[in-house]
């Protein structure tokens, strides 16, 4: 493992303990009945939505990451079932005392799926590719990169900051040295981001990976992203049959580590949660994600393996201050917060273990402040604040994605309905705007900023406050129309750049207090534990608090 790391208090042990306990706390016994599990065969998993594409750097959602994580690998990984960092393509790593230079000792003998070698030159080619990406369309889709590295060689899209990345050098075939322009608390955890997975430089060039075009609100991607994804992982791309809604992944016989146990994995895209459940019961799929909270006990009673993940996530109601000037008034945003009966939402629509959120990160993350201002359900207070702000009779466009199920959002339609009813009860007129997840909702909200309100959320990628609060509010975004909130950006940047452990903790706690009292760019709603369900006899899956399941170890019953 790593030789030396910056001392940051990121509560990894707490989340690792949660993961070990929560993932093991299945609602049914993990009985291997239903046939002896052996290697070979096909594992069919019911996915909850379409992927955007298969180029990691242009993705930021779980349905895209599910197939990507089977085909690609990162320099640093996570120990299965936990948020604990572990060796990935790098066997070890160390940093300079100032946190600006990171040295990775790489695994030897690793090859990309096209047979080309993975080495230090390939690592640097990937980092240089991201840094030098050209075009506003391409840069706008590199959401994770922009959040972590803040800027490009030439900023043409949403990112406007000075780049954190400086250079990458291959000191020898198995040693890559990454130099940053400043210390950033995201590292080393951010090196485990799925978006920062390693791609074959030859394949990137051959299949024009950097070609991203925009037409109106729609984006089109390269042959690499759609047809020729090329990583180092235990599965290779076998095709996406859009007519059948099936993504096929094939066992990589040349994988450097333990080979995948099944010959093939099929991700069958089933957007409707009820239909996913029906197909699981019918045996046409052997696993599904995000069952409805009300169905978990019934599925467990029927003999399915219901594995509950820890709630390392957040659902929030986002507020866009750009389109409606009334939303710039803090009193109006506070009124919206007081209008929401979040406790009732948790009790009626949330899964077992869900809890009302007072902050935009779980309480296991460094910087969680127990003394933040809380917005209790108070319709009379909401009406009073609206009147004081001259916003009585306010009309808002509320965007939501009815066609997906997310770890933090098991039923967007129901959640929208409850929240909209709460808002209307205090005199706010709500225009509901349902939009498809990919090619609609995400672009309308995160790129075009067409909305006034929206429901969205986040599952943590690594245990650091910057991965939650910094991702949402560290820079101006169309999602919140908050470009003028420079004080907020500066406070988050300062907290993220604090090396001293006690100082870092205090800085993030103050950020969380100020988010509640001074800025309130959104309203935290709940933390909800998502579940994954497996058929009887399926073995080798470890539920992850990061929803970062890898399926190379899965076995299925053989008849």
């Amino acid at each position: 493992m790593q030789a030396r790391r910056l001392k940051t208090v990121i509560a990894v042990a707490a989340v690792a303990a949660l993961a070990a306990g929560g993932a093991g706390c299945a609602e049914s016994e993990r009985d291997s009945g239903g046939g002896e599990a052996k290697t070979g065969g096909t594992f069919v998993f019911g996915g909850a939505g379409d992927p955007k594409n298969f180029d990691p750097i242009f993705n930021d959602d779980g349905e895209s990451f599910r197939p990507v994580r089977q085909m690609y690998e990162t320099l640093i990984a996570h120990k299965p079932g936990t948020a604990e960092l572990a060796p990935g393509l790098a066997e070890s790593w160390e940093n300079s005392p100032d946190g600006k230079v990171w040295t990775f000792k790489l695994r030897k003998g690793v090859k990309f799926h096209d047979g080309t070698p993975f080495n230090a030159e390939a690592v640097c080619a990937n980092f240089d590719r991201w840094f030098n990406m050209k075009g506003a369309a391409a840069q706008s889709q590199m959401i994770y990169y922009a959040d972590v590295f803040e800027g490009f060689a030439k900023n043409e899209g949403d990112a406007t900051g000075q780049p954190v990345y400086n250079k990458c050098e291959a000191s020898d075939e198995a040693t890559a040295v990454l130099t940053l322009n400043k210390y950033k608390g995201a590292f080393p955890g951010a090196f485990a981001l799925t978006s920062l997975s390693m791609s074959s430089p030859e394949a990137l060039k051959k299949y024009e990976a950097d070609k991203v075009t925009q037409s109106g609100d729609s984006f089109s991607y390269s042959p690499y992203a759609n047809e020729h994804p090329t990583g180092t992982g235990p599965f290779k791309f076998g095709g996406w049959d859009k007519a059948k809604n099936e993504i096929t992944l094939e066992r990589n016989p040349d994988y450097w580590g333990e080979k995948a146990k099944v010959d093939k994995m099929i991700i069958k895209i089933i957007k409707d949660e009820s239909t996913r459940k029906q197909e699981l019961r019918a045996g046409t799929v052997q696993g599904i994600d995000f069952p409805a909270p009300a169905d978990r006990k019934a599925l467990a009673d029927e003999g399915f393996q219901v594995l509950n993940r820890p709630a390392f996530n957040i659902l929030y109601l986002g507020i866009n201050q750009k389109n409606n000037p009334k939303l710039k008034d803090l009193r109006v945003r506070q009124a919206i917060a007081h209008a929401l009966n979040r406790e009732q939402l948790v009790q009626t629509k949330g899964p077992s273990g869900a809890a009302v959120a007072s902050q935009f990160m779980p309480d296991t993350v460094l910087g969680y402040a127990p003394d933040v201002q809380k917005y209790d359900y108070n319709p009379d207070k909401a009406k009073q604040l609206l009147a004081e702000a001259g916003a009585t009779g306010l009309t808002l466009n509320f965007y939501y994605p009815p066609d997906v199920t997310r770890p933090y959002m098991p039923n967007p339609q129901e959640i929208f309905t409850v929240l909209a009813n709460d808002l209307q009860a205090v005199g706010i007129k709500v225009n509901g705007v349902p939009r498809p997840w990919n090619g609609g909702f995400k672009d309308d909200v995160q790129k075009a900023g067409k909305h006034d309100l929206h429901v969205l959320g986040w599952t943590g990628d690594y245990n650091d406050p910057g991965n939650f609060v910094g991702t949402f509010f560290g820079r101006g975004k169309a999602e919140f129309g908050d470009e003028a909130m420079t004080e907020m950006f500066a406070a988050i940047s300062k907290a993220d750049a604090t090396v001293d452990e006690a100082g870092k903790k205090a800085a993030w706690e103050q950020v969380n207090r100020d988010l509640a009292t001074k800025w309130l760019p959104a309203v935290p709603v709940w933390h909800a534990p998502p579940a994954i369900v497996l058929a009887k006899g399926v073995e080798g899956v470890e539920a992850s608090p990061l929803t970062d399941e890898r399926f190379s170890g899965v076995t299925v019953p053989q008849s």
Side-chain angles (χ1 to χ4, degrees):
M1 206 169 166
Q2 64 270 40
R4 182 172 76 251
R5 288 172 53 192
L6 284 171
K7 294 182 178 179
T8 55
V9 182
I10 58 174
V12 165
V15 174
L18 272 173
C25 243
E27 294 182 28
S28 67
E29 293 297 321
R30 295 191 67 173
D31 182 6
S32 61
E36 184 181 356
K38 298 178 180 178
T39 58
T42 300
F43 174 56
V44 184
F45 189 87
D50 291 328
K52 186 163 65 173
N53 60 71
F54 305 106
D55 187 339
I57 198 62
F58 295 129
N59 283 297
D60 68 316
D61 71 279
E63 294 309 314
S64 300
F65 284 156
R66 194 191 313 279
V68 164
R69 283 169 172 152
Q70 317 312 318
M71 296 185 286
Y72 292 88
E73 294 171 303
T74 48
L75 293 176
I76 300 176
H78 292 104
K79 183 179 177 182
T82 78
E84 181 181 345
L85 298 180
L89 289 172
E91 293 183 318
S92 66
W93 59 94
E94 64 179 15
N95 56 268
S96 60
D98 63 2
K100 293 182 181 179
V101 180
W102 292 85
T103 301
F104 298 92
K105 294 294 184 181
L106 308 177
R107 296 187 186 277
K108 297 179 180 179
V110 178
K111 292 185 180 297
F112 290 104
H113 297 158
D114 58 3
T116 58
F118 167 78
N119 52 30
E121 287 187 1
V123 170
C124 291
N126 276 268
F127 276 97
D128 287 343
R129 175 207 177 199
W130 305 329
F131 175 63
N132 291 298
M133 188 68 68
K134 293 180 173 59
Q139 289 185 11
S140 73
Q141 297 301 294
M142 296 170 63
I143 294 175
Y144 270 107
Y145 183 86
D147 286 337
V148 173
F149 288 97
E150 302 182 17
F152 298 84
K154 180 181 179 182
N155 292 330
E156 300 178 60
D158 300 339
T160 58
Q162 293 298 312
V164 173
Y165 177 81
N166 182 292
K167 64 180 178 180
C168 179
E169 297 174 299
S171 58
D172 60 51
E173 191 172 278
T175 306
V177 181
L178 194 70
T179 301
L180 308 178
N181 288 317
K182 68 175 183 178
Y183 166 76
K184 192 172 173 72
F187 302 112
F191 292 125
L193 285 171
T194 302
S195 287
L196 303 186
S197 297
M198 295 289 111
S199 292
S200 161
E202 290 295 324
L204 291 170
K205 181 178 179 181
K206 181 177 181 180
Y207 298 111
E208 303 177 291
D210 296 353
K211 186 177 181 180
V212 179
T213 57
Q214 181 176 3
S215 177
D217 297 331
S218 299
F219 293 83
S220 299
Y221 299 91
S222 69
Y224 177 85
N226 291 320
E227 301 164 11
H228 303 281
T230 310
T232 60
F235 287 98
K236 300 191 297 184
F237 187 63
W240 181 6
D241 188 330
K242 295 187 178 182
K244 295 173 67 176
N245 287 322
E246 291 184 354
I247 300 164
T248 299
L249 306 175
E250 299 172 347
R251 183 176 183 265
N252 175 14
D254 300 316
Y255 183 57
W256 60 267
E258 185 177 352
K259 309 291 190 293
K261 289 182 166 56
V262 292
D263 298 321
K264 188 182 296 184
M265 176 179 177
I266 293 175
I267 300 174
K268 187 174 183 180
I269 300 163
I270 310 167
K271 297 180 181 180
D272 179 67
E273 187 278 329
S274 179
T275 304
R276 288 199 301 277
K277 179 178 60 179
Q278 291 170 9
E279 295 219 22
L280 178 70
R281 286 173 167 152
T284 50
V285 301
Q286 295 152 304
I288 62 171
D289 222 341
F290 317 134
D295 291 333
R296 295 186 188 183
K297 186 178 185 302
L299 289 168
D301 290 344
E302 293 170 31
F304 293 103
Q305 304 174 72
V306 181
L307 310 181
N308 290 320
R309 307 170 173 111
F312 196 56
N313 60 27
I314 179 68
L315 172 72
Y316 58 79
L317 176 72
I319 303 172
N320 180 8
Q321 300 177 38
K322 184 176 181 180
N323 299 326
N324 190 318
K326 294 292 186 183
L327 293 176
K328 291 183 179 294
D329 192 318
L330 176 62
R331 292 170 297 179
V332 174
R333 303 198 298 277
Q334 290 174 327
I336 290 170
H338 279 300
L340 304 180
N341 192 344
R342 293 174 291 167
E343 188 65 49
Q344 185 179 66
L345 179 71
V346 165
Q347 293 173 0
T348 59
K349 302 300 179 182
S352 176
V356 171
S358 64
Q359 295 163 65
F360 295 94
M361 61 189 194
D363 60 7
T364 53
V365 178
L366 172 76
Y368 185 91
D371 57 346
V372 299
Q373 177 178 334
K374 295 179 174 61
Y375 290 88
D376 296 329
Y377 175 57
N378 191 334
D380 291 335
K381 180 69 171 178
K383 292 176 183 177
Q384 176 188 335
L385 287 166
L386 289 170
E388 290 175 359
T392 302
L394 185 66
T395 298
L396 299 175
N397 296 318
F398 192 154
Y399 280 55
Y400 65 98
D403 65 329
V404 297
T405 306
R406 306 304 309 128
Y408 46 79
M409 188 164 57
N411 191 320
Q413 179 70 58
E414 292 183 358
I415 292 170
F416 158 76
T417 299
V418 171
L419 297 180
N421 287 341
D422 286 345
L423 294 170
Q424 290 177 143
V426 301
I428 297 174
K429 181 180 177 182
V430 174
N431 294 326
V433 185
R435 296 287 286 136
W437 177 252
N438 275 322
F441 175 81
K442 288 179 92 291
D443 289 338
D444 285 353
V445 167
Q446 294 182 312
K447 295 302 163 191
K450 295 181 177 182
H451 62 295
D452 297 317
L453 303 175
H454 69 286
V455 280
L456 196 54
W458 187 261
T459 298
D461 301 288
Y462 52 91
N463 199 331
D464 185 84
N467 185 238
F468 285 90
V469 174
T471 296
F472 309 144
F473 311 123
R475 61 187 175 95
K477 291 188 173 182
E479 182 177 351
F480 305 106
D482 57 356
E483 290 83 356
M485 301 182 80
T486 54
E487 181 188 10
M488 180 174 70
F489 308 149
I492 290 172
S493 179
K494 182 179 179 180
D496 192 47
T498 303
V499 179
D500 171 70
E501 291 180 3
K504 183 183 180 77
K505 179 175 182 291
W508 280 112
E509 287 178 351
Q510 190 58 47
V511 164
N512 280 319
R513 294 186 192 100
D514 289 343
L515 278 169
T517 58
K518 294 170 62 176
W519 304 319
L520 201 67
V523 181
V525 176
W526 73 23
H527 307 290
I532 185 171
V533 186
L534 302 170
K536 208 170 189 181
V538 174
E539 298 179 350
V541 177
E542 294 197 57
S544 164
L546 314 176
T547 65
D548 180 20
E549 286 80 25
R550 310 294 170 125
F551 295 104
S552 59
V554 72
T555 59
V556 295
Q558 303 292 307
S559 56

